Amino acid sequence: MSAFEVTRAGRGPLHVLWAAGDAFTGEDAPETPVDWPWPHATVHALDAFGTRVPLERNGITVRLRASVTPLFLPAGPEAPARS
């Protein structure tokens, strides 16, 4: 699992997560379950294509499934959907 945190001025942090694998054939591999520490009050997840990704939150961690496509977990309110 690869991850990093982006510090954004005037906004909450953004975590980016993805599973190790080949960028071309890795999408054919099973997704990797991930429990990620999450101390922030809010969270939602989007993949690199802007698609919402389901997750579970238990107050101290978020649980989701990762692949080679990066997932973005911002701490803060969800942005309105684009039309």
Side-chain angles (χ1 to χ4, degrees):
M1 176 63 49
S2 297
F4 62 90
E5 181 177 344
V6 179
T7 303
R8 306 177 299 169
R11 300 169 73 184
L14 170 72
H15 294 237
V16 184
L17 312 172
W18 66 95
D22 183 85
F24 295 102
T25 61
E27 286 299 330
D28 297 329
E31 294 178 320
T32 303
V34 177
D35 287 324
W36 192 253
W38 197 258
H40 313 290
T42 60
V43 65
H44 61 280
L46 299 170
D47 69 16
F49 304 106
T51 303
R52 288 188 172 101
V53 175
L55 59 82
E56 298 173 22
R57 183 168 182 262
N58 71 5
I60 58 171
T61 62
V62 291
R63 175 172 286 174
L64 46 87
R65 302 183 67 76
S67 72
V68 295
T69 301
L71 299 176
F72 300 93
L73 285 76
E78 216 169 325
R82 293 184 180 177
S83 19

